[in-house]
Each structure stands twice: as structure tokens, then as C-alpha cells.
Amino acid sequence: MRRILGRGLAVLLSVAAVSAPAQPETMRPETVGEGTPEAAAPRGVIPVPVSDVRREGTFRPGEPFTYAVRAPHGDVPAAELAACLDGLGWRQAGKGRPDLEIGIDPAARGIASEEAYRLEIAPRGIAVSARTAAGAFYAVQTLLQLTDDGRAEEIACRTIEDAPRFAYRGFMIDVSRHFRSVEFVKRQIDAMALFKLNRLHMHLTDGAGWRIEIDRYPRLTEFAAWRPYEDWQSWWEGDRSYCEADDPRARGGFYTKEEIREIVEYARLRHIEVIPEIEMPGHSEEVTAAYPELGCHGEPYRDGDLCPGNERTFEFLENVLLEVMELFPSEYIHIGGDEAGKSAWRDCAKCRERMRSEGLKDVDELQSYLIHRIERFLNAHGRRLLGWDEILDGGLAPGATVMSWRGTEGGLKAIRAGQQAVFVPGEFCYLDYTQDAPFTQPLSIGGYTPLRKVYSFEPVPAEMTPDEERLLLGVQANLWAEWIPTDSHYEYMMWPRLMALAEVAWSRPGRKDYEAFRQRALQASEQLRGRGYAPFDLRTEYGERPESLAPKHHLAEGCPVSYATPWHGNYPASGAATLTDGVLGGWTYGDRRWQGFLDSDMDVTVDLGRTMPVRYVGATFMQSAGPYVWMPREAEIYGSEDGERFTLLATVHNDVPPACPYLLFKTFAYTGETRARYVRYVARSGGIPGGWLFVDEIVVQ
């Protein structure tokens, strides 16, 4: 779930990256030495290259390190690259042989794409071949990793040929929930560039705060960018109000237009395109607080959704987007489109009139009307619309690109309709979920997405055809910031998991090996730490919930279960086999082992097959307040020999308060002496609207 609340390094410059095809045109086989298949990834390089051939000998660079760039006359990107190599302390070579010679030739043979490169390290020097400055830039990133930012006294000889698997390799930074400075954003751009990521998606607006200067609507930054609370959690649990910028309690901020231009240019020179997101029609509480006439009720603090029946809403959105497009030259403009409540639309006279006049049958089609209309506006200005997969609801706009976060199903649906998609499934790509055992980590929104999980993501399902695969632009990791107030905490959640996503996006599946990657991630984390970043320390990783690591054998294992209340379709686990399959859940309900029940009790009966002594019946539940996962109010456990007359064995009451924000597990169990063939287990919902129960196994002993 996207937001399930009720719902310095390698300082190199160049120009915007050019999209590469999904598959390389030409690549030599992966070899080591004189043709032996390589057993391990090249030391320190993330993402792992397509091909790495080790050679005998080493190269010892001079002091200072010298370089030369050979490119067509007047090639501006090449000139930018050269200027920045100077910034590393490297020196342009005079008449002698340079340590590094970079050749940029649009007609270069054997180079797979515009982001591809060949890097050859020989005893006499280093040579880079590329078709564009983007390819040359990525070659230098590889070289910097191999040499620990150029500090190596000697470099092992090798030939690396490389090209990305996907053209879109992204990261989303959430600056609405907690604002981040320009310098912080630049630091992350530097590290993203090192690992060959090329899209920075900036989540600039949300109910928690508006973060971009818009001249036409000054109240967005005078008022909607500021909260009288220290952090998001206090604001969310408080009255969710905003305040004037000069209020002594004000916390927040925004980017001026000049600062946005600075970020965009800084990213461009590192081959990263910045994609702005302006949320609509949902997640717009801050807009309707500042300009209440844009909500259905016309009153501050009444509406979280913009009113699509009001023509002034479209005037506002178009004026905002015009100013946004002046600042961001990106091909895509992200318009959000997710999690709109739409409830006010049903009772709004303007919305009902819009639905009548446009022939719209429901509020989903009304949202689709808004999305279609905004898409036409963006297209008329030479841009393309990108949105979360809810933009599929009510009918997808004809040229829209879907960013699929609720799994990959939405993206696959768009692809099969002939439209493009970017995959960002929460199960693998949400970095706000805990990356290690929750009891060892800072408070988070919930979930568990360790490095191994991110790395295991395979974007292309086996059933996808080559034509469909061409419509999959790539992948992205998202880091929502509700529970992440500080910069160091944000970096801690990003790294090294974003390295894993980078390798998913760039490297071929056959080149991936988690254990080898983990060793490289340890090295790269040290490199980042030496530059002042604050990555999670992989060396102290605790790992998965121990109970989940081995089968649980017990009397009910494999026995049939009948359900008086159905499980929820989004969290079936193994269906009817879940509660007796001997498989215990991990740290997260998203691991497909926990079975979910929404707004209902759980009432199931296990048939043991014959009457037998029963001394223990227990089931474990979890609580994670952020995503509305609660303990049951109580559990009732019954036994029966005939399946008709049941005896209450135990009633176990919950003692975990709903307000407890931590991830907790509790087993509700009967212990005693009885005989039974049938065991009925009833877990009573706590009654909180939108609340979930999650259970992994009913253990009988």
C-alpha cells in the first residue's frame, strides 16, 4: 500500500541521459581471463556490468591523474564532462599519453546503446569508448567505484562492456511529509549518479505540505507549506492544520523557482532527469485549506479532494502546471491520481452536474474525466502524463503512462492495452518499510523490505511477450517520509537498498547473485559512509523473523479448514490451506504468509480428522498501527468431537493498546487437557473502521 494510513560522491557533470533500448544490440560473452566464465561480480561495481573480462597486469596512474576527451567538434556534453573531470582534481593531458582517454563517437562500433560504454584498463592506460557523453559518464562511474573514487595506487587490468537493461531507472523522494534542503537533494543526486540511476521523481505536493513556489497562487507557500508541528506524526495525530510562514511554530518549507532550476540543472549534468509530481485530485488537503473554493464544500479543512465539477479547479491546475513546466524540462509530468476518497463528489451539486453533462456513470469515471482533461492539456504543451495506477479507474487516458505501485497488475493492464508503464510495486520497491527486524529499527510505517527482498524483484514476468516488454520503461524505488523526520534517517532508509534497485534496473537477471551483491553493497556502503552519508549498516543485520525460517509441525498440519468468515482477497496467503500449512509468517503481512481479514472477525474451524487429545491451540496475530493492523479484541477457542456441539475452551483477551505504534506479535492460545476432532477459532475484530486482522497459523498440539 502506498500510504496505507487508512489508507560530493562521484561529482561528475554531463548532460541529460538518452533512453536506451530494453535489450543490447551487441555484447560479448561474460568472461574472465582468457575466456573462462566469471564466477563473481567485479569488485566494488554496482550495478554489475553485462561483461567483465579480467586481464593480466595492473595500471599505475600518474600523479596527478590525467585524461583526454576525444569527441566531435562542438560537442557540448563532452565539454561539460571534461570540465567536471577537472573538478575531481584530474588534469587534461598535454602532449604525452593520458592516464585515461575517453572517446565519444556516435558511430562507435560494438557499443550497444546511447548509455552503453566499453572500459578497458591495460598496463599502458585506461580507454573509454561510448556513443554519447552519457555512456562515457557511466564508464567513469564504474572507474570511480573500482578505484574508490580514484584513490587507488594501481588498478587491475580488465575490459568491461556494459549497457542498461531498462531506460527508466528511478527514485522517488518525498519532500512533502518532511521538507529536504536543496543541498540534501543534491547529495542524493550525486549518489544516484554513481549507481547509474537516471530519474529523480520529486513528490512535491501532498496534504502534508506544498513545496514549490507558484507565482499565481502565493498562499500555497505562504500558508500551505507550513505546519505548527515539529514533525508529520505530531501533525497527523493533531488537528492537521497549517499556519502562516511567520508563525513562530511554523515548520516546513518550499523550493523557490531559482532553487528548482538549480536542482534540475545539477541533476541534468549528472544524467538524471527530474520529474515533478503535483498531486490531483486527492491528497490535496493543503490546497483546499489555502484555496477552499477548490473543494466541494468551499470551506477550509473540509475536503481532501479537489472538486472536478468546479471549472475553477481546472483553471487552478492548468495555471500551476504551466509554471511547473517552465521549471522542469522533463518528458513526463506526474499528476498523482491515487487514493482520492471521492466521497464528497457524490453529494456535490457541481460534480453531479458534471457527471450528467459529460455522461459519466460514477465517481470513478469523474476522476477519469479529470485525468483525461489534464492529459490533453499536458500533451498540448509537449509533455506526457505519468500517474499512479489508480488513473486506470474509470478508464485510462489514451497516452498516459502508469506507475504501478499496488503490485504490477495495473502496469500489466496498461501494457496490454498498448500503453507504457513503470513498475514500483510496494512489496519490493517501498523503502519506507523496515529494512531489518522491526525491534532493531526506528519506528516506521510498517512492513519489512530487506535488501534481499529489493534485490529479488524481477520486473519482467515469464508470460510477458517481447512486444509487451518494450512498453515496460523500467522500475523505481519510492521512499515516503511520514515517519522519517531527519536527513540522516532518510539516508539510512535509502542506502544500500537503493543500490539493489539500481542493479535490478540496470543488470541482466543472469548476472545477478545476491551474496556477491551483498559483498559489493558492504563495500559501497563504506564508500558512502566515508563521504558523510548515513547508510544502514549491513554488518549488523538481524534478519527475518526466526519462527518463519523453518516449517512448524503440529497436529493440525495439512488438515482442512472451513471459514465462516472469508479472508480478504488482497491478502489470501495460501487460501484455505494457509492456517494449517506449517508455514509461519515473517515480519510483514506482505510476505504472502499472513492471511488478512478486513473489518470483520475471523471465524474458522479445523478438522483434525479424528478425535485426539488436545493440550494446546494457538494462533499468532500482529499489530502495526501505521497501516491499521490491529490485534483482535479477544480470541475464543472451542473444541468438539462431532462438529456440532462445541465447548468453549478459552477466551483470551487482548492487552495491547491500539495506540501502541510498534510492530508487535501476540499469540492467543488455550492450554489445558481436552479431546477434540474439531477446533473452532474465533478472533474478534477490535472494531476500528478500516482495521485489519492478520494471522499466520493455527497450531494444535
Side-chain angles (χ1 to χ4, degrees), residues 256-309:
T256 66
K257 289 191 168 183
E258 188 55 38
E259 287 173 330
I260 289 291
R261 292 188 184 98
E262 182 181 348
I263 290 171
V264 169
E265 177 65 4
Y266 193 86
R268 182 190 75 81
L269 294 170
R270 288 153 182 80
H271 293 271
I272 294 173
E273 181 177 84
V274 183
I275 298 173
E277 181 183 355
I278 306 297
E279 274 276 10
M280 62 184 81
H283 289 287
S284 297
E285 293 89 344
E286 85 287 18
V287 176
T288 58
Y291 295 96
E293 66 273 17
L294 300 179
C296 289
H297 292 94
E299 302 172 17
Y301 301 110
R302 285 292 302 275
D303 296 303
D305 301 336
L306 300 172
C307 177

Side-chain angles (χ1 to χ4, degrees), residues 109 204 483:
R109 298 181 60 186
L204 291 164
W483 302 88

Side-chain angles (χ1 to χ4, degrees), residues 291-298 306-317 345 348-354 366 369-370 373:
Y291 295 96
E293 66 273 17
L294 300 179
C296 289
H297 292 94
L306 300 172
C307 177
N310 186 350
E311 198 60 26
R312 293 185 67 178
T313 295
F314 292 94
E315 177 186 344
F316 169 83
L317 291 173
W345 298 358
C348 172
K350 291 179 181 178
C351 288
R352 290 199 303 269
E353 174 56 26
R354 178 79 73 188
L366 182 57
Y369 165 82
L370 181 147
R373 186 164 166 179

